[in-house]
Amino acid sequence: MTRRRWAMLGVLVVGFSGAGMTGACGSNEPGPLGSGVTPPDMAPECPASMEKPCMRYRIPLVGNPSTDVALRAKYIAAFGTACYMSEANTFDCFYQKWEKACADAVKIGEVSGNAPYDEGYTCQPVGNGDYTLQIGSDVANTLTINYQAAPRQTPLIEINGVPTEVSGPYRNLPEPQELGPGIDFYKKTLDKNGKLVDQHDLILQVNRDAHGGKIHSDLAGFIFPCEKGKPKLCPEPDVLNEPADWRDAKAEVHHVVPMKDKRCCPWGTNSNKNAVVISHKLNDHFTNNDPPVEEVLLVNQIPPYTP
């Protein structure tokens, strides 16, 4: 019996500016790991595959923004997507490029509400991947920008001030054998008959079985820009793969919390809780920004599919 689908309209507020953010990378397509180690001062803008651990440049913030919400908001307003709460409840600002880290580091004094740092000095390499930046007339008055492992960004999405876990409609399906951040949905898992299948294929089949043989979008009716950078809005279709040769309507399994964060570090996992089936057009529209609150609210309200 076909399950009656839940659908409602939602407005996707990711910005038309989001696609132009420095440091953004694809949220769903990991690439092969390079054979060599990239020197810190030549780190690519968005590597195809991340080091383990994910090495980034950390600037030394003043105060305790991990617990001081107002101060944290100031840093986010000033430095934007470089700053985030980790899954360990720490708050820091990490950068892919040391030049950008240095440019923001000189503003820390002013942003934190303390005495502004002196400007006009340039970062100097230490030789181990770190940089120092003089911030006062005394040559000894410097700060250090550390090249270090960046902790995973918290996968909890803040909704009305409450960190909320994504729990989508495939949450009752058995988890894949390989589970973790930055992994796609093509790992092996067991279907209801105990057969080993691809996680991606199982998710699509469960969706198809619940709708009489046709795949439906889990975000049907969701409103988003028809074209990137243009104001006209379009709704997410209900039935996918129709017509079969229309690429925009192709059914795809989407990471609600993207596979990689804004620093291109591993982020969202391939847990079934983090999966929804949507059209290629909507999937292509999402970036590796934090998933919008509207999307998470909709996803968490969808009744679970029967495994």
Side-chain angles (χ1 to χ4, degrees), residues 69 96 205 252:
V69 177
Q96 293 186 67
Q205 187 59 53
E252 296 183 352

Side-chain angles (χ1 to χ4, degrees), residues 46 57 80 149 163 183 226 260 302:
C46 186
Y57 297 95
I183 299 178
C226 300
K260 294 183 180 180
I302 304 173

Side-chain angles (χ1 to χ4, degrees), residues 60-237:
L61 303 181
V62 175
N64 189 6
S66 297
T67 57
D68 188 335
V69 177
L71 180 58
R72 185 162 71 233
K74 289 181 180 179
Y75 281 124
I76 292 174
F79 304 144
T81 59
C83 307
Y84 66 97
M85 289 293 297
S86 77
E87 60 183 356
N89 279 331
T90 58
F91 180 86
D92 284 292
C93 302
F94 284 90
Y95 299 79
Q96 293 186 67
K97 297 284 190 177
W98 67 265
E99 295 93 338
K100 177 59 177 171
C102 288
D104 280 359
V106 75
K107 306 172 188 175
I108 293 172
E110 180 180 359
V111 173
S112 65
N114 294 281
Y117 296 160
D118 290 349
E119 299 183 0
Y121 298 104
T122 58
C123 274
Q124 301 299 316
V126 175
N128 62 350
D130 297 346
Y131 285 82
T132 59
L133 176 66
Q134 187 172 336
I135 58 174
S137 56
D138 186 340
V139 294
N141 192 2
T142 63
L143 57 78
T144 300
I145 296 171
N146 295 110
Y147 187 64
Q148 64 182 76
R152 182 188 177 207
Q153 183 174 349
T154 177
L156 301 179
I157 308 304
E158 190 166 301
I159 298 178
N160 298 323
V162 179
T164 303
E165 180 185 29
V166 172
S167 186
Y170 303 93
R171 53 187 176 268
N172 288 348
L173 271 61
E175 294 287 34
Q177 294 178 338
E178 183 180 351
L179 178 65
I183 299 178
D184 61 30
F185 289 116
Y186 287 92
K187 303 307 177 184
K188 294 297 182 181
T189 190
L190 295 175
D191 65 11
K192 62 183 178 181
N193 298 316
K195 181 181 177 182
L196 205 59
V197 296
D198 281 347
Q199 180 187 13
H200 173 274
D201 295 343
L202 177 62
I203 289 172
L204 292 181
Q205 187 59 53
V206 166
N207 183 298
R208 186 182 291 111
D209 290 345
H211 298 104
K214 292 187 176 182
I215 297 177
H216 286 234
S217 173
D218 293 315
L219 294 181
F222 201 78
I223 303 297
F224 65 103
C226 300
E227 297 181 57
K228 292 180 180 179
K230 295 186 178 181
K232 185 179 177 181
L233 301 177
C234 289
E236 168 76 347

